[in-house]
Amino acid sequence: MAHVNYIHNIPFISIFLTMFGGIITPLFSNGKIAQKINLIIVCIVGVLSAILLGSVWQNKESFTFMMGHFPAPWGNELTAGPLEALMALTFSFVMATTLLGGAKFIQNDILAEKQNLYFVMINLLFGSMLALIYTNDIFTAYVFLEINTIASCAIIMAKGTGESIAATLHYLIICLLGSGLFLIGISLLYSITGHLLMPNIQQSIIQLTRTGEYAFPFAVVIGMIIIGISIKSAVFPFHFMLASAHPAATPASSSILSGLVLKSFIFLNIKMFYCVFTIDLIRNLRITNVLFLFGLIGMVVGSVSALKETRIKHMLAYSSAAQIGYIYMGLGLGNHAGMVAACFHILAHAATKAMLFICAGGLMSVSEGKDGIHDLRGAAHKNLMAGIGFTVGGLSMVGVPLTAGFVSKLYFASATIYSPQKMVITLLTLAISMILNAMYFIPSAIAIWTPVEKKTERPKVSRRMEIGIAIFIVTNFCLGIFYKPIIDMIELGIGLL
Amino acid sequence: MNEPKKKSTWRHFVDWVNGEEAIEVPKKISFKKIDFNKIKENFEKYIWSGRKKAIFYLVMCAFVCTVFIAILLHTVSALPYFGGGNNPASNEVVQRYIESGVEETGATNIVAGMILDYRAFDTFGESNVLFLAVICVVMLLKKDKYNTTQQEIREEKEDEMFDKEDDNTILKRIANLLAPMLFLFGIYVVLNGHISPGGGFSGGAIIGAGLVLYASVNGQQNMQRFFKYKTFVLINVTCLLTYCILKGYSFFTGANHLPNIIPKGIPGALFSGGLILPLNICVGMIVACTIYGFYALFTKGEI
């Protein structure tokens, strides 16, 4: 019997375990059991990803895993390296903590008889994100992109109110636009390269660029694929779907959408850059410049829209759009350091924004469910943990030292050294955006901490939410203080992509 | 609030910090607050501003579509000729599928071999998409306190009464004759998916059509005698679980180079093709349930 390397099976086991969880969940009519099973599965995946990360980090390797009996160009394949493992670990960690912290909202917002179906969606959404991280085949990426789209629409819609259904429609239309472009891109790419597996496509593309054959279709393909994925990750002109989706969804859904779903698409974009089109080609075709431009505009426009808002969840939604802008700006710098900073910002923003949405939900629930910032006055005194979490999250978004947001901004700023022609405008926009961030987070922080005269009894706050927020706060400071090993991992991972 | 307009700059600032005043008041769309009398008074103006916007969107829409169509047409004209021998797509991948597909998968239908053996992971994802779609529709449309009103329930009861009263004898007889044949044909297509054209997706669609026909003629009550929501969930879950476990086993053994105990059989026989036959059955049942589920949920909101 052949020797089995169990570590190499982890990507496959993680994906199948979450899918398995999603499939069996409809059998449990009780939402609480479904939730427990879901949480256990996410935790198992987290532990497995941590083991995988430890192993690939130690061996400094990246490996492919054959899905089935047939090798590379004939069958499907998964691939895993330090970056993939790190992403999977972060995603499962944020997912688990969000589900822990947001459990109360899910129980309150969603009808009891449909709660188990909500967890089907969460499981399959998580499985699809893992598959998007690990896949080495663009058609598999498309299939799981579809799962991702449907499931993320379902978790917005789960609340069942008219507002959430309208928001879902908005989100669905934008998402389908992105998927459609991506699919057309894939089919055109297949007809000019004859492959669906990323390494094989890359070889054909290198050949094609050398001979100059099919130059026009190839340019169209690159445009469609990158634009399609960027639309799905809510880059600047398409960020309005967030503004309608987040306020309408239950806080746990908002956290997952903003913290993880958008990030999985950005990661797919990074994979496309490195594993399919090669980074030199992307740079030569000036795709990075386009992304850079939209990233910059997104940073400013998102922050300004957030500044204009008086409703907390809309504010956070626009702030997400601005942070997505940061990530695309990092990608658009087109150098290695910018990529590293963008990857770190993916992690930092995933941890921070998920916490902010949970905290905002917690603050709203002690203020009779109102979402205006002035309605939340004094809410932090009623729900202490949510107040602290919101403040820490806000500080991290602004970029105060010791928090996660500071590190990513530091790296963004230092990455500009390698792209001198973009340096001035990047630094200026970073400064403007940080000031704008401070301008909208500080008033809301003041509002929630303003003491109220009326002595009301402190409403009972869910213990699980407090634990979840506490974990998020600790993570944020950990990312902000012990960032060096993570940066090293990302650098190694990008090198091995 | 006697003179709301005369606020000092400082007061504005304090209000803004308190979140009571936005720098620019956001447009809140609330149907309760729309003043319809005002709209009636300024109807002409209103319509015209709307029309201007509509014309603008229409022109932009036409422009973007034309540009997009032009780009795509130009791209297609530059693509390799469909089915050409020297195409990039006619490479070693396709060659192996065609030349050794029968031997390696045991299925004489190469397409079935391709989607359920070579690239089974994608098909697993696809069946999950179907499952997810139908669960989504259940989530959205299955009757609950949010999406049904008393009036709708009353109307539905009236509908059922009418259904019982009129007996379309010819329609019912013909449909009841046709439905079993459809089932039989669907089952045939599913079971022979690895030998002849067809397979789980197409056969499942035929069975689903049969279920829709039966339900629409005989009414949902008759359907619910043997096909309840529980049965529906059970079939879906069992089939996907079978798929997940079988393929999980196959992937695990394949990737780790372990011996696989599943026999391939003689190509062309009914029991051949290794896992393809059971997988086709699973996919077929999922597709049939999905199609019927959509029909039932969209018409009655119940399965």
Side-chain angles (χ1 to χ4, degrees):
Chain A
M1 193 164 145
H3 172 68
V4 179
N5 186 346
Y6 284 103
I7 302 272
H8 284 195
N9 280 296
I10 285 177
F12 152 73
I13 294 172
S14 318
I15 294 171
F16 264 67
L17 194 64
T18 45
M19 292 304 206
F20 180 80
I23 293 164
I24 57 166
T25 310
L27 294 177
F28 307 104
S29 48
N30 188 340
K32 281 185 181 163
I33 299 175
Q35 184 166 21
K36 271 184 194 135
I37 290 172
N38 182 248
L39 195 59
I40 291 168
I41 287 176
V42 176
C43 288
I44 294 173
V45 172
V47 172
L48 289 178
S49 311
I51 296 171
L52 178 67
L53 179 61
S55 161
V56 287
W57 170 237
Q58 213 163 32
N59 300 336
K60 305 210 182 310
E61 61 159 358
S62 166
F63 62 87
T64 55
F65 181 83
M66 189 167 82
M67 288 296 269
H69 298 273
F70 304 101
W74 295 280
N76 291 113
E77 227 178 36
L78 298 179
T79 170
L83 193 60
E84 283 97 341
L86 184 65
M87 287 289 162
L89 175 62
T90 318
F91 279 27
S92 34
F93 178 79
V94 173
M95 193 81 171
T97 320
T98 307
L99 288 172
L100 190 71
K104 197 79 189 166
F105 304 121
I106 297 171
Q107 281 163 19
N108 290 343
D109 286 348
I110 297 164
L111 284 176
E113 71 253 34
K114 290 185 176 177
Q115 273 176 20
N116 58 341
L117 302 182
Y118 181 80
F119 287 103
V120 175
M121 298 300 160
I122 294 278
N123 263 319
L124 288 177
L125 184 62
F126 185 51
S128 72
M129 288 193 290
L130 288 176
L132 283 180
I133 291 174
Y134 286 126
T135 182
N136 200 20
D137 183 304
I138 49 171
F139 195 72
T140 311
Y142 176 73
V143 170
F144 283 90
L145 204 98
E146 256 183 293
I147 298 185
N148 201 314
T149 308
I150 301 176
S152 47
C153 286
I155 63 171
I156 303 172
M157 169 189 90
K159 223 168 159 184
T161 56
E163 192 196 4
S164 66
I165 288 169
T168 311
L169 269 179
H170 190 178
Y171 190 85
L172 182 68
I173 289 168
I174 303 278
C175 265
L176 287 183
L177 181 65
S179 313
L181 286 177
F182 185 56
L183 183 63
I184 297 175
I186 289 180
S187 43
L188 291 178
L189 188 60
Y190 179 74
S191 68
I192 59 175
T193 61
H195 283 287
L196 288 172
L197 229 83
M198 290 183 185
N200 298 70
I201 296 177
Q202 196 174 28
Q203 279 171 8
S204 310
I205 284 176
I206 291 170
Q207 202 77 35
L208 281 182
T209 42
R210 205 174 292 144
T211 56
E213 242 183 323
Y214 302 125
F216 184 75
F218 185 53
V220 173
V221 163
I222 294 189
M224 280 191 174
I225 289 184
I226 305 271
I227 293 172
I229 302 173
S230 305
I231 288 176
K232 287 181 80 86
S233 53
V235 77
F236 156 64
F238 298 95
H239 67 275
F240 290 104
M241 66 177 184
L242 297 181
S244 53
H246 286 316
T250 173
S253 304
S254 303
S255 294
I256 291 166
L257 274 184
S258 171
L260 304 179
V261 173
L262 301 179
K263 305 299 153 41
S264 60
F265 295 132
I266 296 175
F267 187 70
L268 186 64
N269 233 342
I270 295 176
K271 252 190 143 161
M272 285 289 157
F273 286 179
Y274 278 94
C275 305
V276 180
F277 298 127
T278 69
I279 193 72
D280 296 323
L281 187 69
I282 295 284
R283 236 176 267 148
N284 292 342
L285 287 172
R286 309 202 185 285
I287 304 264
T288 45
N289 292 3
V290 178
L291 292 180
F292 178 73
L293 186 68
F294 280 107
L296 286 185
I297 301 174
M299 277 160 74
V300 177
V301 171
S303 299
V304 170
S305 312
L307 191 59
K308 285 179 183 172
E309 272 302 332
T310 54
R311 291 161 293 175
I312 193 159
K313 284 185 117 184
H314 286 75
M315 188 186 94
L316 291 179
Y318 282 121
S319 154
S320 280
Q323 303 296 321
I324 298 291
Y326 275 88
I327 297 173
Y328 272 100
M329 179 203 73
L331 298 184
L333 283 175
N335 56 44
H336 186 72
M339 286 290 169
V340 173
C343 286
F344 189 84
H345 199 63
I346 291 179
L347 309 184
H349 185 239
T352 313
K353 200 36 81 52
M355 172 168 78
L356 278 171
F357 272 114
I358 295 284
C359 292
L363 293 172
M364 275 165 61
S365 67
V366 293
S367 319
E368 298 157 7
K370 289 178 185 159
D371 67 346
I373 292 171
H374 65 279
D375 295 320
L376 296 178
R377 192 165 314 152
H381 296 284
K382 293 181 202 153
N383 189 347
L384 201 62
M385 204 42 133
I388 297 173
F390 190 83
T391 317
V392 172
L395 292 179
S396 171
M397 285 286 124
V398 175
V400 172
L402 296 186
T403 55
F406 170 71
V407 181
S408 49
K409 285 177 183 78
L410 182 71
Y411 273 86
F412 276 130
S414 48
T416 54
I417 296 169
Y418 303 102
S419 305
Q421 69 277 35
K422 290 175 186 164
M423 188 169 178
V424 177
I425 180 142
T426 313
L427 290 179
L428 266 177
T429 322
L430 261 178
I432 293 171
S433 173
M434 274 163 82
I435 293 168
L436 289 173
N437 281 352
M439 276 169 73
Y440 62 80
F441 269 113
I442 291 172
S444 50
I446 293 175
I448 62 169
W449 286 106
T450 310
V452 272
E453 283 129 42
K454 275 187 288 177
K455 286 272 176 199
T456 44
E457 271 189 39
R458 274 182 66 177
K460 208 168 159 279
V461 178
S462 155
R463 177 58 50 84
R464 278 195 276 179
M465 195 206 298
E466 289 188 333
I467 297 172
I469 295 172
I471 296 175
F472 269 132
I473 294 175
V474 174
T475 319
N476 207 312
F477 282 118
C478 284
L479 279 175
I481 298 168
F482 309 109
Y483 56 86
K484 197 72 191 116
I486 297 170
I487 294 279
D488 289 345
M489 275 176 209
I490 294 173
E491 278 185 340
L492 178 70
I494 288 183
L496 286 173
L497 264 184
Chain B
M1 298 289 269
N2 288 330
E3 285 172 299
K5 279 180 189 171
K6 282 186 183 175
K7 269 195 203 172
S8 65
T9 322
W10 173 248
R11 189 67 224 161
H12 273 297
F13 180 69
V14 169
D15 280 354
W16 173 71
V17 170
N18 284 335
E20 280 167 358
E21 187 185 312
I23 292 175
E24 185 189 86
V25 180
K27 284 176 199 161
K28 269 191 190 173
I29 297 174
S30 159
F31 293 106
K32 283 175 200 161
K33 284 179 188 166
I34 294 175
D35 188 356
F36 285 102
N37 289 327
K38 213 174 178 182
I39 293 178
K40 263 183 201 164
E41 278 169 26
N42 302 328
F43 193 66
E44 277 300 309
K45 213 174 109 193
Y46 222 84
I47 282 292
W48 179 235
S49 72
R51 213 175 272 167
K52 259 197 285 189
K53 228 179 194 175
I55 290 170
F56 173 73
Y57 280 128
L58 214 63
V59 171
M60 281 309 286
C61 192
F63 174 72
V64 171
C65 287
T66 321
V67 170
F68 199 71
I69 290 170
I71 291 176
L72 278 183
L73 281 179
H74 189 203
T75 314
V76 169
S77 69
L79 285 183
Y81 183 71
F82 181 75
N86 294 325
N87 283 2
S90 319
N91 53 10
E92 73 274 14
V93 181
V94 180
Q95 194 186 0
R96 175 157 167 187
Y97 284 161
I98 293 171
E99 283 177 358
S100 37
V102 176
E103 185 194 323
E104 282 176 347
T105 64
T108 40
N109 177 3
I110 295 172
V111 177
M114 235 145 79
I115 63 171
L116 289 169
D117 207 343
Y118 285 112
R119 300 183 66 89
F121 187 44
D122 291 346
T123 315
F124 177 59
E126 265 332 315
S127 11
N128 268 307
V129 170
L130 287 176
F131 171 68
L132 207 54
V134 80
I135 292 285
C136 254
V137 177
V138 170
M139 224 165 150
L140 184 65
L141 295 180
K142 192 161 187 294
K143 278 181 194 149
D144 59 36
K145 66 177 179 187
Y146 287 142
N147 60 15
T148 34
T149 55
Q150 284 299 320
Q151 197 192 344
E152 278 174 347
I153 295 172
R154 209 170 47 236
E155 278 174 2
E156 209 154 273
K157 274 192 183 146
E158 282 168 13
D159 276 357
E160 275 166 23
M161 267 167 54
F162 282 121
D163 274 353
K164 272 179 195 163
E165 275 172 21
D166 70 349
D167 42 4
N168 290 314
T169 321
I170 300 173
L171 180 70
K172 277 188 183 172
R173 280 283 165 85
I174 300 288
N176 284 341
L177 265 177
L178 208 58
M181 285 199 261
L182 274 175
F183 293 143
L184 211 59
F185 181 54
I187 292 168
Y188 164 80
V189 172
V190 170
L191 289 183
N192 286 291
H194 54 297
I195 317 174
S196 62
F201 285 100
S202 29
I206 297 170
I207 299 177
L211 285 172
V212 172
L213 181 69
Y214 185 83
S216 61
V217 168
N218 293 315
Q220 219 103 337
Q221 267 86 24
N222 281 322
M223 196 70 193
Q224 269 169 358
R225 279 191 307 201
F226 66 93
F227 199 88
K228 289 198 185 82
Y229 176 64
K230 257 193 175 158
T231 340
F232 166 76
V233 170
L234 215 61
I235 292 178
N236 256 328
V237 170
T238 324
C239 289
L240 264 180
L241 263 192
T242 320
Y243 196 131
C244 182
I245 291 167
L246 286 181
K247 228 44 233 186
Y249 169 78
S250 157
F251 287 158
F252 188 76
T253 52
N256 296 307
H257 307 289
L258 298 177
N260 193 343
I261 55 163
I262 296 159
K264 292 230 171 64
I266 307 149
L270 182 60
F271 291 103
S272 67
L275 286 175
I276 294 178
L277 178 63
L279 294 185
N280 254 335
I281 295 172
C282 289
V283 173
M285 302 241 285
I286 295 168
V287 173
C289 281
T290 308
I291 286 182
Y292 173 68
F294 281 156
Y295 167 77
L297 286 165
F298 275 105
T299 50
K300 301 273 176 181
E302 281 298 337
I303 290 181

